[in-house]
Amino acid sequence: MHRIWHEIGTAAIALALAGPALAAEPMSAEEFEAYAQGKTLSYAVGGEIYGAEQYLPQRQVVWAFRGQECTRGQWYEDAGQICFVYEHDSTPQCWTFYRESAGIRAQFEGDPEGTELSEVDQTRTPLICAGPDVGV
């Protein structure tokens, strides 16, 4: 009997540990749009502020790396990922977004061990831009 309870306990622990990983389903484009539109979200990488993005109607965005000038762009869905293109770089930058208890998390396409952004703040205030686009 002890062995059976041990096996059940081990299985329960394994399921508990696997549960959060299995529960993290990628956000659809519609879910992402409903969550982000009208907000300015700040992101961090490894606890360090990375940048902020303002999500405008019609999937338009304004992005700024920490302390740098803003750049305008747009986003779209491609094969389940949210892809961004910006005015100065038309190379798509695709991410998979996940909804978590503290906000959203984004994993860069093709980089499962690398770049992961975590939302650290959100506001409905427009993004404050440095440089020539002040007041965007």
Side-chain angles (χ1 to χ4, degrees), residues 2 4 17 21 28 34 39 41 43 47 52 60 62-63 65 68 75-76 94 96 98 104 110 113 134 136:
H2 175 70
I4 292 172
L17 293 174
S28 69
K39 298 177 185 173
L41 303 180
Y43 296 99
Q60 300 297 303
V62 179
W63 167 261
F65 286 103
Q68 296 186 14
W75 69 269
Y76 60 94
C94 298
T96 302
Y98 300 91
I104 59 175
E113 307 277 326
V134 172
V136 169

Side-chain angles (χ1 to χ4, degrees), residues 55-126:
Y55 298 91
L56 303 167
Q58 297 160 351
R59 298 184 174 182
Q60 300 297 303
V61 295
V62 179
W63 167 261
F65 286 103
R66 182 177 156 214
Q68 296 186 14
E69 294 180 12
C70 292
T71 185
R72 292 183 171 276
Q74 62 186 27
W75 69 269
Y76 60 94
E77 186 271 337
D78 184 24
Q81 294 185 314
I82 307 298
C83 300
F84 298 83
V85 291
Y86 297 95
E87 59 191 356
H88 300 298
D89 183 2
S90 61
T91 305
Q93 299 176 35
C94 298
W95 301 79
T96 302
F97 283 85
Y98 300 91
R99 182 80 186 260
E100 304 202 331
S101 61
I104 59 175
R105 172 176 60 86
Q107 184 71 50
F108 192 63
E109 170 191 27
D111 192 12
E113 307 277 326
T115 307
E116 183 174 279
L117 302 179
S118 296
E119 176 187 348
V120 292
D121 190 35
Q122 71 171 253
T123 180
R124 294 212 175 263
T125 304

